[in-house]
Amino acid sequence: MSETTAIDDIRTAVTGLLPGIRQDLEDLVRIESVSADPARAGEVRRSAEAVAELFRAESFDTVEIVSAEGGAPAVIAHKSGPAGAPTVLLYAHHDVQPETDHAEWDSPPFEPTERDGRLYARGAADDKAGIAAHLGALRVYGDDLPVSVTMFIEGEEEVGSDTLPALLKEHRDQLSADVIVIADSGNWDIGVPALTTSLRGLVRVDVTVRTLTHAVHSGMWGGLVPDALITLSRLIATLHDDRGNVAISGLQSGPAADVDYPEERLRAESGAVPGIEWIGDGSAVERLWTRPALSITGLDAPKVDGASNTLVASARAKISLRVAPGDTTENALACLRAHLEAHVAWGAELSVALVDTGEPTAIDATGPAYDAARRAFTEAWDGTEPVDMGVGGSIPFIAEFLEAFPQASVLVTGVEDPDTRAHGANEGLHLAEFEKVVKAEALLLRNLGELPRG
């Protein structure tokens, strides 16, 4: 069989399989597997059982539901390919984000609904479509796989993957692979595929400033005693320079891929109000992918409505610091602490409480597995080569995979596009792009199976 015929056969097979793949995806989406909601722990369990049943239906050699340290259930399944062929680990997660206010959705969040070529529902993209894409690629080959495949479908990614390190340790032999495909990212644009090669890390802290032991009358003491809100505001203002660059000494940054991010697309995708100016220096993708960023994501202070005429004794802010690839969360936290301690004004009491961290990731996307992936993407997208893309957000577990399996080539792919709206209302999967994702993964498995053995 010629290579051209093989590609055509895979395309035809995927097109024929799509209705069944979509039905399985819709069935998974209807399960409210919100891992952040203790009241829906049973739904998370039901989701894991449904995923396991899908693998059993594909005649996997082994299918097991596992958990560690009281964590959410994950599914590990294995199906053997030809002797001597590479083993490929396919990762996705079956838990989803809370659906937020139902009134913000144009259709019920757990009832998959198609509109204008998209399938809308919570988890329709992030990340139950990742599970469906893996299944679709496997169904192309049936019991004639070109590689051995291990499926690892996690159940607590949306709440930080706290027990993932324990799972990787306890099931190391089952999960060991030559290539790991993590389907939890996205593509550069509709019609333009991507490999994600860098992700920023995360340090979150709660910062409390106290200037008084109790609130006092603002007329009696204002002008002499600093209030905590003014003090905290001054401290927050020191975290950026006048151009909007993060002004914390010692943080690392680096170059980004030479990718153009058009102004009109930036404005449309960001939701920026008309006239807003961008902050920071460097290219747009450097500021979004490979430089630190800092935001205040929460503030504890008296509400404006009903506020009394008193000096506020203490105020608290949650600081979210995105850590550039090449840096470490240990260094970033130390630099942030040192900055806050050096810049708190007027002798105010300062406390800094660590909330959580997640390491940044930089992947050296060179070698046979990455070449195989780029060929597969180019073929699936009809000649459009993939972009090496960074992600400004954090997926800390990728660093944990790299640490646990240093010999493996880790490919970060996904089903999302710039308008997916993962984590928000009206999350949607672009169905035509999803078909390309399934084709690409089927072609990737073929390409990996053709690599020299030994």
Side-chain angles (χ1 to χ4, degrees):
M1 180 184 295
S2 70
E3 181 176 342
T4 301
T5 303
I7 294 171
D8 289 341
D9 287 348
I10 288 172
R11 287 174 173 161
T12 300
V14 170
T15 300
L17 289 165
L18 271 178
I21 299 168
R22 176 172 168 176
Q23 183 61 60
D24 290 332
L25 172 59
E26 293 188 4
D27 289 344
L28 288 177
V29 162
R30 291 187 177 97
I31 303 173
E32 300 181 17
S33 52
V34 179
S35 52
D37 183 1
R40 289 188 273 194
E43 287 289 275
V44 176
R45 180 73 190 186
R46 189 162 73 93
S47 178
E49 291 169 349
V51 170
E53 191 56 39
L54 286 171
F55 297 151
R56 293 187 186 102
E58 298 302 318
S59 301
F60 271 68
D61 303 330
T62 59
V63 180
E64 185 179 5
I65 297 176
V66 301
S67 60
E69 300 176 356
V75 181
I76 299 175
H78 182 78
K79 191 170 186 178
S80 297
T87 296
V88 181
L89 175 68
L90 302 178
Y91 169 96
H93 61 87
H94 67 90
D95 66 319
V96 299
Q97 280 281 321
E99 66 273 27
T100 64
D101 186 354
H102 285 221
E104 296 178 357
W105 288 75
D106 295 333
S107 52
F110 292 102
E111 181 53 46
T113 305
E114 182 178 350
R115 296 190 302 273
D116 301 322
R118 283 186 179 272
L119 185 68
Y120 290 93
R122 173 60 83 232
D126 182 21
D127 186 31
K128 291 179 178 179
I131 302 170
H134 291 330
L135 278 169
L138 295 176
R139 286 175 181 171
V140 168
Y141 300 102
D143 292 330
D144 191 23
L145 288 175
V147 295
S148 292
V149 171
T150 299
M151 304 292 295
F152 180 37
I153 311 300
E154 192 192 354
E156 58 181 24
E157 192 276 339
E158 298 292 9
V159 288
S161 301
D162 287 346
T163 68
L164 178 62
L167 284 175
L168 295 179
K169 182 177 180 180
E170 291 175 20
H171 303 278
R172 180 178 180 83
D173 291 344
Q174 291 170 272
L175 298 174
S176 182
D178 301 292
V179 179
I180 299 172
V181 180
I182 296 177
D184 195 23
S185 185
N187 289 304
W188 176 240
D189 202 355
I190 299 298
V192 183
L195 281 172
T196 297
T197 57
S198 71
L199 301 102
R200 289 192 293 202
L202 175 67
V203 170
R204 291 199 303 166
V205 298
D206 288 343
V207 176
T208 303
V209 168
R210 177 173 288 278
T211 59
L212 293 155
T213 58
H214 59 277
V216 296
H217 193 287
S218 62
M220 297 290 291
W221 295 104
L224 178 68
V225 180
D227 69 79
L229 272 177
I230 290 291
T231 308
L232 179 60
S233 297
R234 287 177 64 93
L235 180 58
I236 289 172
T238 69
L239 294 168
H240 293 86
D241 65 21
D242 289 343
R243 294 181 59 82
N245 298 295
V246 177
I248 300 171
S249 297
L251 297 179
Q252 304 298 309
S253 62
D258 185 16
V259 175
D260 179 45
Y261 208 145
E263 178 73 11
E264 63 276 11
R265 184 176 157 192
L266 279 168
R267 292 198 173 273
E269 293 172 9
S270 68
V273 300
I276 196 72
E277 297 178 3
W278 306 131
I279 60 174
D281 294 318
S283 70
V285 292
E286 284 176 335
R287 282 176 276 176
L288 290 171
W289 298 346
T290 62
R291 295 191 176 194
L294 186 145
S295 304
I296 306 301
T297 58
L299 196 66
D300 286 344
K303 294 181 179 180
V304 172
D305 292 341
S308 64
N309 244 343
T310 55
L311 301 183
V312 175
S314 68
R316 185 170 67 147
K318 188 177 293 294
I319 296 177
S320 173
L321 175 61
R322 297 291 173 169
V323 183
D327 207 342
T328 66
T329 57
E330 181 180 12
N331 175 67
L333 177 59
C335 292
L336 176 58
R337 282 187 186 275
H339 180 99
L340 294 169
E341 290 167 358
H343 289 83
V344 64
W346 302 316
E349 293 181 0
L350 172 75
S351 65
V352 180
L354 178 64
V355 178
D356 54 18
T357 65
E359 292 297 329
T361 299
I363 296 172
D364 178 14
T366 59
Y370 300 100
D371 294 341
R374 291 188 175 95
R375 288 198 308 274
F377 277 63
T378 302
E379 291 167 347
W381 268 266
D382 301 320
T384 300
E385 296 182 359
V387 171
D388 279 4
M389 185 176 89
V391 171
S394 307
I395 309 180
F397 70 78
I398 294 177
E400 292 166 359
F401 273 100
L402 290 167
E403 181 179 355
F405 304 108
Q407 82 290 347
S409 298
V410 177
L411 309 176
V412 183
T413 67
V415 301
E416 297 178 21
D417 65 82
D419 199 33
T420 290
R421 305 185 191 184
H423 294 201
N426 297 311
E427 175 183 344
L429 174 70
H430 193 286
L431 292 169
E433 288 295 285
F434 176 69
E435 181 174 0
K436 292 184 174 68
V437 169
V438 178
K439 290 176 184 177
E441 188 161 304
L443 289 163
L444 171 62
L445 297 180
R446 180 206 65 178
N447 292 349
L448 294 174
E450 292 175 351
L451 292 179
R453 301 177 188 180

